[in-house]
Amino acid sequence: MAIRKILLPLAGIASARGALSTALMLSQRWRAHLHALHVRTDTRDVAPLAGEGLSGAMIEEMMASTEKEGNTEATALAALFTQETTARGITVGAPVRATDGAVRAASARFSSVVGREEELVAGEARLSDLIVVPHPKSAEEVASADALHAVLFDSGRPALIAPVGVPTTIGTRIAIAWNGTAESASAVASVLPWLADATAVRIFHSPDYQRQGPGADKLASFLELHGITADATEFRAIDRNAGTGLLAAVEAYGADLLAMGAYSHSRLRQLILGGVTRHVLEHAKLAVLMNR
């Protein structure tokens, strides 16, 4: 299935440039409509967080400061959006259609709304084909990670974590991290539209990463039914860390897109003990397509 709608949640200007460039590049590739969404904090949500011991005047000042910061961020993001879409010649507004109804070219729009980011992002994501999320380490704020988890756990849609920098290509050499889980199977389903145009596809598997389920050889046979030729290679954990071994193997392969399942173990366990998902989120330098 082709990608026709892309959602880009923007938490702030610090993480926006690389993610916006990535999303616009993908919208041009797929002739997709991009919705860049900025969610400003509802000032009514600030007061309960203020705690005891603050006067009404202090709480009002805090609420006014929050509103001002949100409006400033919205203005800066709107200016960046205009700059980037103009530079790429992308139509701002409704999708551009031919007389037969087919989408002719990429289009984009920017909106800034007030509310709770996790709820609004998850809701918008459910009717999007792809959600591009700023890299969790690309900004001082942690909101980009909140948006990522909202997509992964509450939308049922794939999330593409943008590189920190601006990529030159995405999806020409594709790596698939396979461990036999339902999450990795969802990642394969999401990356299928990309595979036909890739110059090379490789499956990465490891006894240090494999869970109960079909092996890499069965995945290769499945992809062959879709007309995709993929080779498979085994990687090993480095210093007992499967995530380190995976990223090292993917980097040596020269991949510009890694598709993988996310949080085969619980998010709490990965937060406490670490895990492949957490390691990849913290250290990957390439675009990563993740699914739950």
Side-chain angles (χ1 to χ4, degrees):
M1 183 181 70
I3 294 171
R4 288 292 177 256
K5 183 181 177 184
I6 300 173
L7 175 67
L8 171 63
L10 293 172
I13 196 68
S15 62
R17 189 173 298 276
L20 180 57
S21 295
T22 297
L24 289 173
M25 180 174 69
L26 293 177
S27 69
Q28 288 180 304
R29 169 178 177 165
W30 295 103
R31 292 183 297 173
H33 180 68
L34 169 65
H35 179 194
L37 174 65
H38 173 236
V39 182
R40 307 190 304 279
T41 302
D42 190 337
T43 56
R44 292 172 298 182
D45 291 336
V46 175
L49 300 176
E52 299 179 359
L54 295 180
S55 66
M58 295 173 68
I59 293 176
E60 287 183 7
E61 182 180 351
M62 184 179 299
M63 293 172 66
S65 176
T66 299
E67 183 176 6
K68 181 179 179 181
E69 289 176 4
N71 291 337
T72 299
E73 286 280 15
T75 300
L77 288 169
L80 177 63
F81 175 83
T82 300
Q83 174 187 329
E84 292 293 324
T85 51
T86 300
R88 293 174 178 269
I90 293 178
T91 300
V92 175
V96 181
R97 297 185 180 275
T99 54
D100 62 357
V103 176
R104 293 192 307 175
S107 59
R109 70 184 179 99
F110 171 83
S111 64
S112 181
V113 298
V114 175
R116 295 184 178 179
E117 184 187 37
E118 296 88 345
E119 296 175 359
L120 292 174
V121 168
E124 287 288 328
R126 289 168 193 157
L127 291 178
S128 300
D129 296 309
L130 178 69
I131 298 85
V132 176
V133 182
H135 194 287
K137 296 187 71 175
S138 65
E140 296 177 0
E141 71 270 2
V142 298
S144 55
D146 293 337
L148 171 61
H149 290 142
V151 173
L152 289 176
F153 287 91
D154 296 318
S155 77
R157 309 305 296 155
L160 187 139
I161 297 90
V164 175
V166 179
T168 55
T169 61
I170 295 179
T172 58
R173 291 179 66 84
I174 298 178
I176 301 173
W178 178 256
N179 63 359
T181 61
E183 292 82 6
S184 60
S186 293
V188 169
S190 293
V191 82
L192 274 178
W194 305 71
L195 298 180
D197 295 330
T199 58
V201 180
R202 178 167 292 176
I203 302 165
F204 290 82
H205 61 102
S206 170
D208 303 309
Y209 182 49
Q210 182 71 23
R211 304 287 182 265
Q212 184 175 0
D217 56 335
K218 291 188 177 180
L219 173 58
S221 297
F222 170 77
L223 293 178
E224 190 173 348
L225 292 174
H226 287 270
I228 307 299
T229 299
D231 58 17
T233 187
E234 182 178 308
F235 69 91
R236 291 286 183 174
I238 297 177
D239 296 329
R240 303 177 65 181
N241 189 320
T244 303
L246 171 62
L247 286 182
V250 168
E251 182 176 346
Y253 171 61
D256 57 8
L257 177 65
L258 169 63
M260 64 180 292
Y263 296 110
S264 296
H265 292 304
S266 72
R267 180 167 42 156
L268 178 60
R269 170 174 170 165
Q270 297 227 18
L271 180 64
I272 297 173
L273 300 177
V276 175
T277 303
R278 179 180 175 185
H279 185 89
V280 169
L281 285 175
E282 291 178 351
H283 299 285
K285 298 179 181 178
L286 76 166
V288 181
L289 186 67
M290 280 191 172
N291 281 75
R292 277 281 295 169

